[in-house]
């Protein structure tokens, strides 16, 4: 009550691809605050396209991109990593090193974005620890980040300091 949910939806739908990516890097390790669904999914798209681009580029340069890499895919909240396979050539080795560094550099902001998304959905950021559970943790987190924004969280954020949104 007192929350214009249409405004909240309009605010989230105004999130563009470039704005979401800018916020992703601008709030690199900020685990507090809120992150809407549009922001979250634009970043997922960006990370997926960037990872695909890296794989295609190194593949075109002759790297064996079919072998398991240290961190092949980064999804906000967790990384899917394979076993390291001995490099066959220097380009494959460069690909594995680059994709590993890419994954590590994006791990903290991905976790931070997921924590903000969980908070926006009215869930505790502590649920982020589910990322430590193989497969089931990722599925549970996926279900959680799909949840709509919780209007009560927005009301608490909009309330002046020291006042409850229920007063």
């Amino acid at each position: 009550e007192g929350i214009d949910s249409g405004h909240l939806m309009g605010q989230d739908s105004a999130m563009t691809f470039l704005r979401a990516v800018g916020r992703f890097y601008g709030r690199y390790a900020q685990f507090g605050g809120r992150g809407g669904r549009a922001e979250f999914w634009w970043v997922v798209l960006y990370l997926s396209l960037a990872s695909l681009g890296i794989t295609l580029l190194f593949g075109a340069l002759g790297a064996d991109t079919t072998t398991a890499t240290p961190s092949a895919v980064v999804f906000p909240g967790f990384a899917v990593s394979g076993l390291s396979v001995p490099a066959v050539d220097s380009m494959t080795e460069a690909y594995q090193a680059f994709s590993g560094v890419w994954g590590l550099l994006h791990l903290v902001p991905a976790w931070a974005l997921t924590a903000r998304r969980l908070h926006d959905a009215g869930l505790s950021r502590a649920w982020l620890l589910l990322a430590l559970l193989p497969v089931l943790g990722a599925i549970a987190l996926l279900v959680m980040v799909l949840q709509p924004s919780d209007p009560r969280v927005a009301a608490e954020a909009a309330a002046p300091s020291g006042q409850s949104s229920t007063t």
Side-chain angles (χ1 to χ4, degrees), residues 33-73:
R34 299 171 46 219
R37 283 192 291 185
E39 177 183 1
F40 182 85
W41 292 110
W42 278 128
V43 170
V44 169
L45 177 63
Y46 161 71
L47 292 174
S48 299
L49 291 175
S51 295
L52 177 64
I54 290 167
T55 301
L56 292 175
L57 174 66
F58 275 94
L61 295 173
D64 179 8
T65 59
T66 62
T67 59
T69 61
S71 182
V73 178

Side-chain angles (χ1 to χ4, degrees), residues 9 14 21-22 45 54 58 71-72 87 98 125 142 144 146 148 151 155 166:
M9 290 178 70
V21 172
L45 177 63
I54 290 167
F58 275 94
S71 182
F98 188 86
R125 293 175 192 98
L142 176 63
M144 290 178 186
L146 286 170
T166 58

Side-chain angles (χ1 to χ4, degrees), residues 5-157:
S5 61
H7 171 70
L8 289 176
M9 290 178 70
Q11 186 180 35
D12 196 34
S13 65
M15 180 63 66
T16 65
F17 179 81
L18 292 177
R19 184 169 179 228
V21 172
R23 284 175 54 110
F24 174 69
Y25 287 113
R27 299 172 79 188
Y28 190 88
Q30 184 179 347
F31 286 77
R34 299 171 46 219
R37 283 192 291 185
E39 177 183 1
F40 182 85
W41 292 110
W42 278 128
V43 170
V44 169
L45 177 63
Y46 161 71
L47 292 174
S48 299
L49 291 175
S51 295
L52 177 64
I54 290 167
T55 301
L56 292 175
L57 174 66
F58 275 94
L61 295 173
D64 179 8
T65 59
T66 62
T67 59
T69 61
S71 182
V73 178
V74 174
F75 182 79
F78 55 91
V80 178
S81 54
L83 299 173
S84 185
V85 175
V88 177
D89 57 41
S90 61
M91 189 54 69
T92 301
E93 192 172 81
Y95 166 69
Q96 291 176 340
F98 188 86
S99 64
V101 170
W102 169 264
L104 290 174
L105 287 175
H106 290 83
L107 196 58
V108 170
W111 282 347
L113 176 60
T114 304
R116 293 192 306 270
R117 177 69 204 111
L118 289 171
H119 177 67
D120 184 62
L123 302 167
S124 170
R125 293 175 192 98
W127 285 111
L128 186 57
L129 295 174
L130 284 174
L132 301 174
L133 295 175
V135 183
L136 292 178
I139 293 169
L141 272 175
L142 176 63
V143 169
M144 290 178 186
V145 299
L146 286 170
Q147 301 304 307
S149 297
D150 185 342
R152 294 173 296 168
V153 174
E156 291 170 9

